[in-house]
Amino acid sequence: MASSRATGRSAPPQLTDAETVAGHKRAAARAAAELVSDGMRLGLGTGSTVAYLLPALAERRLQRVRCVATSPRTAQLARELGLAIEELGALGELDLAIDGADQIDPAGWLIKGGGAAHTREKIVAAAARRFVVIASAEKAVAQLSPPVPLELVRFGWQSTLAALGDARLRAAEPAGDLMLSPDGGLIADYFGAVGEPRALAARLSAVPGVVEHGLFPPEMVSLILIAGDGGVQRRSGGKPDGSALAPDAR
């Protein structure tokens, strides 16, 4: 094959790893945006992949879509794009929630909470008839590994960390202050082995002072969209897929 030098044509620029990952995130987000229809009550997650979802939704110019955001940052970005943001209590059951993940294992277990909003994200996912996870290919792993994000009550946090074992509070970058959840809880990370996720989830939940952990079980997830070089892969989750359910007339 003739080289680019021989043909007089310049070779296409090589994408950096960061640009490749960004393209994958954008592809997963656009695929998820196509699942949203007029009149839906929609949960919006938090994080870098959701940041690509919001403009994809705005471009579709859907009518009467009412959204709840899992973080102030998502709410701000959504409002700037013209999306309607309301409180979860005003919306009740959601038709669909879309969010990213930090890790996804072959069984459909997730680790979430890199953005410190996993408590709200879990509440919103549980409130949705259908929960769709979007991710770039590197988030799919053979086995979950630490850290597992935690939200802790401030009172007695030292005792909570001691009971957890291998865990420590997370510092916010670049200031170095302690990271807080959107609701003011302390954010920590558990660094012990994950092992069997269900057993660890039960153990973390049983420690007094733990508000919520970042392990999301497969039965909470309806669909996983993972984008890579070969396109967007669809994986079924353990939650019955409510895609055939149209939003209620409103």
Side-chain angles (χ1 to χ4, degrees), residues 160-204:
T160 304
L161 286 183
L164 286 165
D166 192 0
R168 59 178 179 265
L169 297 181
R170 190 191 302 177
E173 299 294 342
D177 298 329
L178 292 180
M179 184 173 285
L180 304 178
S181 76
D183 301 294
L186 293 172
I187 296 299
D189 291 291
Y190 175 78
F191 289 93
V194 174
E196 205 291 303
R198 198 171 301 278
L200 178 60
R203 187 173 87 75
L204 296 176

Side-chain angles (χ1 to χ4, degrees), residues 79-172:
R79 288 192 176 104
E80 289 173 355
L81 290 166
L83 300 173
I85 299 295
E86 302 182 36
E87 295 295 326
L88 179 59
L91 297 182
E93 184 183 46
L94 303 175
D95 299 297
L96 175 65
I98 305 173
D99 203 351
D102 300 320
Q103 297 181 50
I104 306 166
D105 83 357
W109 275 91
L110 315 175
I111 288 182
K112 292 176 49 55
H118 50 281
T119 299
R120 286 193 180 191
E121 291 169 344
K122 194 171 282 188
I123 291 170
V124 167
R129 292 191 288 181
R130 191 183 190 205
F131 177 41
V132 174
V133 175
I134 53 177
S136 47
E138 83 283 357
K139 300 299 179 68
V141 298
Q143 184 174 2
L144 299 182
S145 60
V148 176
L150 305 166
E151 181 173 348
L152 310 181
V153 174
R154 293 192 187 205
F155 177 81
W157 62 265
Q158 299 92 337
S159 297
T160 304
L161 286 183
L164 286 165
D166 192 0
R168 59 178 179 265
L169 297 181
R170 190 191 302 177

Side-chain angles (χ1 to χ4, degrees), residues 132 165 220 239:
V132 174
M220 184 170 277
K239 184 175 185 176

Side-chain angles (χ1 to χ4, degrees), residues 12-49:
Q14 295 296 308
L15 294 177
T16 65
D17 289 345
E19 290 170 332
T20 297
V21 170
H24 294 165
K25 290 180 178 182
R26 186 180 296 108
R30 287 190 172 277
E34 293 300 318
L35 302 176
V36 182
S37 58
D38 285 341
M40 275 191 167
R41 292 176 290 197
L42 177 65
L44 300 173
T46 296
S48 59
T49 310

